[in-house]
Amino acid sequence: MLIWRNFDSIEAQADGLSAALVRALHDVLERQPRALLALSGGSSPRALLPRLAQSGLPWERIDLTLADDRWVPDSDPDSNARLLRECLRQAGAGAAGWLPLVDMSKSAAEQVQQLNDHFPYRQPDVCVLGMGLDGHTASLFADAPQWPQARHTEARFVFMEPANAPHARVSWSLAALRECGRLFLLIQGEAKRDVLCAAAELDQDNAISRLSRDQGVTLDVYWCAEA
């Protein structure tokens, strides 16, 4: 099920989503001692992250991770971990725990196995996803050779090698995303709205269609007309 929240500007969208995430995390922390927040990289969340960092959340009780990350060092400009460090952890959320997805001292296969065997959470309590025009979310690309297996695995983490996007990736799986306590989608522009609407209406072989059409999933969509 999709719940739409529509905004006219990126600033208003970021304000609205930041407030919603603060409420969702406070709800989690009323029930349990710690919460896991998974965030996405790319350009869409750049307005959100500083607002969230300065929101007054009890960061010492929150662990941060990513919905996905590129298989690059965290010093690389394409690293989502670098984005979070620069836009969130250095801006006020420094007390948060940090659970990275990429460790390049291991092989990719070893790292994904390590995550699946020892990651301290089964799934995020709160997760913010993005979406591409090809219908991928997190790094669940339908053009990756791993997609047929990634659609059905019960493992929490998968390794993906998209054919038409740079870098291999580590991503939470569809199975894990389906079980998130609160699942938000941050998108901007008419083209992405049209992609999401089409994927939710008709079954397509891509991740956002599988997720948005799942009867057990509520996807809270924060959409902005401004791209």
Side-chain angles (χ1 to χ4, degrees), residues 135 198-200 202-214:
L202 296 173
D203 186 26
Q204 299 176 0
D205 190 28
N206 61 50
I208 201 63
S209 185
R210 297 300 171 97
L211 203 56
S212 63
R213 292 175 57 82
D214 191 303

Side-chain angles (χ1 to χ4, degrees), residues 134-136 139-148 151 160 162-163 205-207:
D134 59 356
H136 83 267
S139 278
L140 300 171
F141 288 83
D143 67 358
Q146 297 86 359
W147 170 243
R151 286 181 305 184
M160 305 293 288
D205 190 28
N206 61 50

Side-chain angles (χ1 to χ4, degrees), residues 121-206:
Y121 291 84
R122 289 296 306 170
Q123 65 277 321
D125 296 299
V126 180
C127 180
V128 181
L129 295 171
M131 185 197 73
L133 290 172
D134 59 356
H136 83 267
T137 192
S139 278
L140 300 171
F141 288 83
D143 67 358
Q146 297 86 359
W147 170 243
Q149 191 265 343
R151 286 181 305 184
H152 305 296
T153 184
E154 293 301 313
R156 291 175 290 169
F157 296 94
V158 292
F159 186 68
M160 305 293 288
E161 297 173 288
N164 295 301
H167 307 300
R169 322 285 181 101
V170 178
S171 178
W172 287 87
S173 68
L174 273 176
L177 294 177
R178 288 186 182 108
E179 298 300 320
C180 285
R182 290 291 305 276
L183 199 53
F184 296 87
L185 180 65
L186 175 64
I187 56 172
Q188 295 155 358
E190 301 285 346
K192 287 195 175 183
R193 184 189 65 179
D194 292 346
V195 167
L196 178 59
C197 288
E201 182 176 352
L202 296 173
D203 186 26
Q204 299 176 0
D205 190 28
N206 61 50

